[in-house]
Amino acid sequence: MHSLTKTFLYYVLITSVALAINVKSVVAAEDSGSIAFNQMLKCLKLPADAPSAYSFLIVAVIKDGSADFLSINFRTPPSEWEKTAAPLIADAITQCEPYGSISGRMEFAVTRELVEAGSKKLSMRR
């Protein structure tokens, strides 16, 4: 029985270490996504007459400071405005390179709320 308890505790320890590592990598990916989003905002020029709500999911792979792969996904069927905005978002991501020390696959959202909040932060820094 004593050996069984030790074995159980050992597996609990391994599981908690694995979970901690996964949480750290998710947090690091979120930080990288935030860096890429903020960098993209510097070059982002969206079309006029934006709808009250829009949402894009960006998947990017950054390699050596450049966008090596980029995918823009819609959460719902895209409106005409979103179809026009998507290539502009892609251009902003590639035009605002280099991304410095971040690398790897990252995902981040582009929504009206995030763009407006990020733009306010950028204008405060200037």
Side-chain angles (χ1 to χ4, degrees), residues 47-111:
D49 301 324
S52 60
Y54 56 84
S55 182
F56 302 91
L57 177 64
I58 310 301
V59 178
V61 176
I62 306 296
K63 185 176 177 185
D64 299 325
S66 299
D68 192 47
F69 171 80
L70 184 63
S71 171
I72 298 180
N73 304 297
F74 301 97
R75 296 171 195 248
T76 60
S79 67
E80 287 304 312
W81 185 90
E82 289 170 316
K83 289 177 187 176
T84 304
L88 298 174
I89 292 169
D91 288 346
I93 292 169
T94 57
Q95 290 170 2
C96 276
E97 297 170 347
Y99 287 98
S101 62
I102 64 171
S103 66
R105 182 180 190 275
M106 59 202 63
E107 294 181 14
F108 56 93
V110 175
T111 64

Side-chain angles (χ1 to χ4, degrees), residues 8-59:
F8 175 74
L9 289 175
Y10 179 71
Y11 284 118
V12 168
L13 177 65
I14 289 174
T15 303
S16 54
V17 168
L19 287 172
I21 290 170
N22 285 339
V23 168
K24 283 183 182 177
S25 67
V26 167
V27 169
E30 286 177 1
D31 288 347
S32 295
S34 177
I35 292 168
F37 175 82
N38 289 330
Q39 184 79 357
M40 172 212 60
L41 275 180
K42 295 176 186 176
C43 298
L44 185 61
K45 305 261 188 290
L46 290 174
D49 301 324
S52 60
Y54 56 84
S55 182
F56 302 91
L57 177 64
I58 310 301
V59 178

